[in-house]
């Protein structure tokens, strides 16, 4: 088992372009899941925006990104990133969740999601937003 902390960048409509740029810098592969791909379209104009994206390079570089939906607040200077913790085992991710959630505000309870066996989001007692999930295979679009 292994776990990785990955910087998760937040954008308002520019996530795909940013991921493409980061791939041009670091190499590797880009994977993108749109809101449409995940069956999570709340605003038809945002269906093709990035709900989850990643650049993964052989040398170990990883960065994740998504487009914050217009229904949610977004200020580039206030919530420009998340810390994403991805694990292979539900037990491991759940243990981290339980510890991080002490004194935290849960933004999305830890549970199954259409795109991952287990997913959750919280803001810890220090104001850092964490996204935890169990890794699953993604098909690039």
């Amino acid at each position: 088992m292994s776990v990785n902390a990955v910087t998760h960048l937040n954008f308002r409509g520019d996530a795909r372009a940013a991921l493409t740029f980061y791939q041009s810098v670091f190499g590797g592969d880009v994977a993108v899941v749109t809101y449409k791909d995940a069956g999570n379209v709340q605003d038809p104009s945002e269906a093709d925006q990035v709900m989850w994206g990643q650049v993964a390079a052989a040398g170990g570089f990883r960065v994740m990104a998504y487009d914050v939906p217009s229904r949610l607040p977004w200020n580039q200077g206030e919530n420009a990133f998340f810390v994403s913790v991805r694990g292979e085992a539900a037990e491991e991710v759940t243990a981290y969740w339980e510890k991080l959630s002490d004194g935290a505000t849960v933004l999305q309870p830890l549970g199954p999601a259409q795109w991952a066996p287990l997913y959750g989001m919280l803001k810890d007692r220090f104001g850092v937003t964490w996204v935890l999930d169990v890794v699953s295979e993604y098909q690039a679009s």
Side-chain angles (χ1 to χ4, degrees), residues 8-12 66 68 72-83 107 122-124 126-130:
H8 188 290
L9 304 171
N10 301 332
F11 297 93
R12 183 76 91 190
Y66 100 118
V68 178
L72 297 176
W74 181 77
N75 178 316
Q76 189 174 18
E78 292 179 19
N79 61 349
F81 69 93
F82 297 151
V83 177
L107 304 172
L122 59 79
K123 184 176 283 192
D124 72 17
F126 304 104
V128 175
T129 300
W130 293 79

Side-chain angles (χ1 to χ4, degrees), residues 22-100:
Y22 299 140
Q23 179 194 33
S24 77
V25 172
F26 297 101
D29 299 310
V30 174
V32 170
V33 176
T34 66
Y35 286 95
K36 180 172 53 183
D37 294 338
N40 192 23
V41 176
Q42 307 224 356
D43 180 339
S45 70
E46 298 172 344
D48 292 322
Q49 288 188 356
V50 177
M51 186 173 136
W52 176 87
Q54 174 178 266
V55 173
F61 175 82
R62 301 278 187 278
V63 67
M64 295 170 60
Y66 100 118
D67 288 310
V68 178
S70 60
R71 65 184 164 71
L72 297 176
W74 181 77
N75 178 316
Q76 189 174 18
E78 292 179 19
N79 61 349
F81 69 93
F82 297 151
V83 177
S84 176
V85 175
R86 312 193 80 211
E88 296 175 2
E91 298 79 21
E92 182 180 27
V93 170
T94 300
Y96 292 132
W97 176 268
E98 289 172 355
K99 292 174 184 174
L100 278 172

Side-chain angles (χ1 to χ4, degrees), residues 97 101 105-113 115 117-122 132:
W97 176 268
S101 63
T105 300
V106 173
L107 304 172
Q108 174 68 45
L110 187 65
W115 59 91
L118 201 59
Y119 170 86
M121 180 188 297
L122 59 79
L132 286 79

